[in-house]
Amino acid sequence: MASPLIDLEQRIALTRPGDTVRGLSFAAVLHLTRTHLGRDTAERLLAPLMQRNPVDFFSYPAVDFLRLLSFAAEALQPEFGTHDAALRACGGAICGTFLESTVGQTLLRLTLGSDPKRIYSNAPISYATAVSYGQREYQALGDKRVRLLFRDDLLPVQVHEGILGGALTALQRQGQVRGTELCLGESEYLIEWS
């Protein structure tokens, strides 16, 4: 695996000028940082990227989000033990913040207590509302197992593992998410639950 700085540079090289991420994802990572490291650290991470706090449903450059993720994971690494665990925590925070939103609450009401396949089958649409880039495909592999394939994606696998695992937590299900980077920008996720 490439060093975090090299990985960031490679992911930034994949971006196109119109690639965007909703402010909700920025806000989630900043909230996680603020909770664990304090307000000053969160503001210090945001300062080189934008003048004001992001607005949840506004779109911001994906390059800035990649930088924020990189800065946050490095700062949070001592709290979570490893860089990968810090990235997963950022993903979990993004999922939690999305599920607390009006759109997320609606999605949860439709799926809570039911088959997690319902929430994962909506992942391609949910991601399309959160970012302007990439394609995602859903495939059911059995009663308690699904596969998601991401193409032309910019985020590290660990962030998506955190997001997708956060959905299992919200549905109060035990399970696991195993992400595999097939190549830079393409990954797959096997999600299983009991």
Side-chain angles (χ1 to χ4, degrees):
M1 184 173 144
S3 75
L5 183 57
I6 291 171
D7 185 67
L8 172 66
E9 290 170 358
Q10 290 173 335
R11 291 179 189 287
I12 287 175
L14 287 179
T15 63
R16 296 176 307 251
D19 291 342
T20 60
V21 175
R22 296 280 183 193
L24 182 138
S25 294
F26 284 81
V29 172
L30 290 167
H31 179 72
L32 179 70
T33 304
R34 195 176 304 112
T35 299
H36 287 274
L37 303 175
R39 174 186 233 151
D40 291 344
T41 301
E43 288 176 6
R44 205 168 45 251
L45 296 180
L46 184 62
L49 305 173
M50 54 184 67
Q51 300 297 327
R52 297 184 182 147
N53 284 325
V55 177
D56 285 355
F57 289 99
F58 284 15
S59 294
Y60 299 92
V63 168
D64 289 345
F65 187 65
L66 288 170
R67 288 186 177 120
L68 177 63
L69 270 177
S70 180
F71 300 159
E74 185 163 332
L76 290 164
Q77 183 173 337
E79 292 289 311
F80 291 96
T82 67
H83 189 265
D84 287 355
L87 286 172
R88 280 187 201 91
C90 289
I94 292 166
C95 180
T97 300
F98 171 74
L99 292 175
E100 290 170 4
S101 72
T102 304
V103 172
Q105 285 294 304
T106 301
L107 184 60
L108 268 183
R109 275 194 293 281
L110 295 172
T111 59
L112 194 59
S114 66
D115 190 345
K117 283 192 278 188
R118 290 182 67 188
I119 203 166
Y120 290 117
S121 68
N122 285 302
I125 294 167
S126 297
Y127 270 96
T129 64
V131 299
S132 68
Y133 55 82
Q135 300 107 30
R136 287 121 201 124
E137 295 175 19
Y138 164 84
Q139 179 184 17
L141 299 175
D143 288 343
K144 297 180 179 184
R145 189 172 187 230
V146 300
R147 174 182 177 259
L148 290 169
L149 178 64
F150 289 35
R151 290 190 181 95
D152 300 321
D153 194 79
L154 300 173
L155 299 182
V157 167
Q158 297 84 358
V159 174
H160 293 303
E161 287 175 336
I163 292 169
L164 298 168
L168 280 178
T169 301
L171 292 172
Q172 302 172 359
R173 295 294 184 107
Q174 296 295 316
Q176 66 178 0
V177 177
R178 287 175 292 166
T180 303
E181 187 167 65
L182 305 173
C183 63
L184 191 64
E186 187 171 331
S187 53
E188 74 171 3
Y189 302 87
L190 294 174
I191 307 155
E192 299 175 292
W193 60 90
S194 53

